[in-house]
Amino acid sequence: MTTITEARVIVTAPGRNYVTLKITTSDGVVGWGDATLNGRELAVAAYLTEHVCPLLVGRDPARIEDTWQFLYKGAYWRRGPVTMTAIAAVDVALWDILGKVAGLPVYKLLGGAARDGVLVYCHATGEDVPALLDDVARHVDQGYLAVRAQAAVPGLAKTYGVPTPDGKLYEPASSALPEEHLWDTAPYLRSAPEMLGAVRERFGFGIHLLHDVHHRLTPIEAGRLGRDLEPHRLFWMEDPTPAEDQAAFRVIRQHTTTPLAVGEVFNSIWDCQQLITERLIDYIRTSVTHAGGITHLRRIFALADLYGVRTGSHGPGDLSPVSLAAALHVDLSVPNFGIQEFMGHREPASEVFRTGYTFENGYLHPGDEPGLGVEVDEEAAARFPYDPRQLPVNRRLDGSVHDW
Ligand code: CS2
Ligand code: MG
């Protein structure tokens, strides 16, 4: 019987920190899993190294479901981003191995392609509206059909989603100690409809337009914003309020028809069960890396399908190319696919991660290599040591801590 002979964690920082799990079998087949948790990378690395990897050696790599149940129920302490990201990395690596052994791309193991390609949305940002409109134009010229628009809030020194001064890809984990940002809801509620209206005025309704509120409003503020955005026909308004308060979305739903997307901070089906079964959201954003891997993500998406909720997986630059590849295989295969976030990865990530996915006319495709279609260059990874970085903390004008 083929068995797992080694499971090992690789921490590397080509442009930003990534945590990758490498599983090797007695047949010499290697599978890769992403275990990156932005700002808490070493917590997952330690959970894997100390508590999971020793349990994997000797197991049958093809028993993916049994391994998932073994790691989830066997831990006794369930759920949470660290545990579920660690389980996800194992799960994705085992699906990679199964595909390589079968000689099939993972999506074919999941039932084959339900669509020709995966519609993606990109990030357009700007220190002000003119700069944002120029960035939207750049992305439309590159062929994107869906654009997330974020701009600085007038009067605030720093706003979520706006590039760092070095102009590189927006990277939220920017310092060894948390940066402290000031937040004020009133100017945001005034400027966001104007900003998104300016995008519609310049580009019309031929592109899908998305916006990320990033957890910062109260339910009634979110209802107000959603109503103000209705003339702009957003594809979705993301994370309007803190996601864990699922019942709060009943208030938002009472006040607006703007579609709602939530879920990037969720890590299990239990986190979103009420949102889905009460149809309080339109898109579920759970990611393959933070929500227990391909095995659990499929369960979440199957529940969502029953209630007319579509998928919209999180896909920022702080999930590795291994994660994006796995997401694309799931996206290609599920019946209720909605859209996939594609922020891209800052260089020199491509020195470490060799990917097989391709972009054309606004769609990504995972490719047809056996497995995930991604390989990791360990020698290159060793050239980029871990670089401790923290996510920012938000404070209101009175100094109290707010949601970032
Ligand atoms: C954002 C992320 O992409 C998104 O929708 O919410 O950029 C998020 O801020 C980061 O992934 C946090 O690490
Ligand atoms: Mg988001």
Side-chain angles (χ1 to χ4, degrees):
M1 178 186 88
T2 299
T3 60
I4 293 170
T5 54
E6 184 188 44
R8 183 159 54 81
V9 173
I10 300 163
V11 180
T12 182
R16 69 158 340 276
N17 292 312
Y18 299 108
V19 180
T20 304
L21 176 68
K22 177 184 181 181
I23 294 181
T24 306
T25 73
S26 49
D27 296 335
V29 180
V30 169
W32 303 102
D34 181 34
T36 307
L37 185 63
N38 199 5
R40 294 294 181 271
E41 294 87 359
L42 296 189
V44 184
Y47 189 98
L48 282 166
T49 300
E50 303 301 330
H51 304 297
V52 172
C53 291
L55 308 184
L56 297 177
V57 176
R59 289 187 63 83
D60 177 352
R63 297 187 66 186
I64 298 174
E65 182 67 50
D66 183 68
T67 297
W68 197 96
Q69 299 294 332
F70 174 74
L71 294 177
Y72 180 78
K73 294 174 178 165
Y76 187 74
W77 312 109
R78 299 180 179 189
R79 300 165 66 189
V82 174
T83 299
M84 298 307 282
T85 298
I87 292 175
V90 175
D91 186 77
V92 168
L94 295 181
W95 278 103
D96 190 20
I97 289 167
L98 188 62
K100 287 170 176 174
V101 169
L104 293 171
V106 168
Y107 75 85
K108 289 193 175 176
L109 302 177
L110 303 177
R115 56 194 50 76
D116 298 328
V118 173
L119 176 66
V120 295
Y121 74 88
C122 59
H123 285 200
T125 64
E127 279 294 342
D128 54 28
V129 171
L132 168 67
L133 296 179
D134 289 345
D135 202 27
V136 173
R138 270 191 294 277
H139 285 91
V140 170
D141 290 345
Q142 290 168 14
Y144 287 96
L145 304 173
V147 181
R148 188 192 83 167
Q150 309 288 141
V153 175
L156 297 184
K158 188 82 178 100
T159 306
Y160 162 74
V162 180
T164 48
D166 63 10
K168 291 180 181 171
L169 266 179
Y170 166 64
E171 170 53 65
S174 52
S175 54
L177 292 174
E179 277 184 7
E180 296 218 346
H181 295 171
L182 273 185
W183 174 253
D184 188 7
T185 298
Y188 167 73
L189 287 177
R190 286 194 301 273
S191 64
E194 293 168 8
M195 174 264 287
L196 293 161
V199 176
R200 280 301 188 209
E201 189 176 340
R202 165 92 173 262
F203 298 94
F205 290 84
I207 60 169
H208 296 301
L209 180 57
L210 303 87
H211 179 65
D212 192 347
V213 181
H214 219 261
H215 321 282
R216 302 184 178 195
L217 302 180
T218 64
I220 202 64
E221 289 169 346
R224 152 62 66 214
L225 179 61
R227 184 175 296 177
D228 289 348
L229 295 179
E230 285 173 7
H232 308 319
R233 296 285 188 275
L234 261 57
F235 186 91
W236 78 33
M237 177 170 75
E238 176 184 342
D239 282 332
T241 55
E244 60 269 30
D245 183 358
Q246 298 184 60
F249 285 75
R250 292 178 182 144
V251 174
I252 308 171
R253 269 312 206 212
Q254 286 163 8
H255 293 279
T256 182
T257 57
T258 293
L260 304 176
V262 183
E264 67 182 57
V265 295
F266 291 161
N267 46 76
S268 87
I269 199 165
W270 304 107
D271 296 339
C272 48
Q273 182 193 13
Q274 182 180 6
L275 288 172
I276 290 172
T277 57
E278 290 189 24
R279 295 180 170 86
L280 298 177
I281 58 173
D282 303 277
Y283 298 91
I284 181 64
R285 297 247 311 129
T286 38
S287 75
V288 68
T289 291
H290 296 151
I294 291 171
T295 298
H296 195 59
L297 192 65
R298 293 175 84 200
R299 289 207 160 85
I300 294 171
F301 288 175
L303 176 67
D305 189 27
L306 283 180
Y307 292 89
V309 174
R310 285 176 284 175
T311 73
S313 279
H314 192 213
D318 50 86
L319 292 177
S320 89
V322 175
S323 177
L324 182 61
L328 294 174
H329 284 279
V330 175
D331 292 339
L332 202 64
S333 68
V334 294
N336 57 320
F337 171 76
I339 200 166
Q340 169 67 49
E341 181 173 10
F342 176 48
M343 188 176 166
H345 295 95
R346 59 180 10 182
E347 288 306 331
S350 62
E351 291 185 27
V352 175
F353 299 95
R354 198 271 303 155
T355 57
Y357 45 80
T358 53
F359 176 83
E360 187 176 4
N361 300 327
Y363 291 76
L364 279 176
H365 192 284
D368 284 292
E369 282 184 55
L372 296 175
V374 175
E375 293 300 330
V376 177
D377 182 331
E378 293 185 71
E379 283 181 20
R383 295 202 304 269
F384 304 101
Y386 176 64
D387 177 16
R389 294 295 176 96
Q390 295 275 349
L391 284 165
V393 168
N394 237 353
R395 288 187 184 274
R396 302 181 185 93
L397 300 185
D398 68 359
S400 54
V401 176
H402 192 58
D403 298 280
W404 174 72

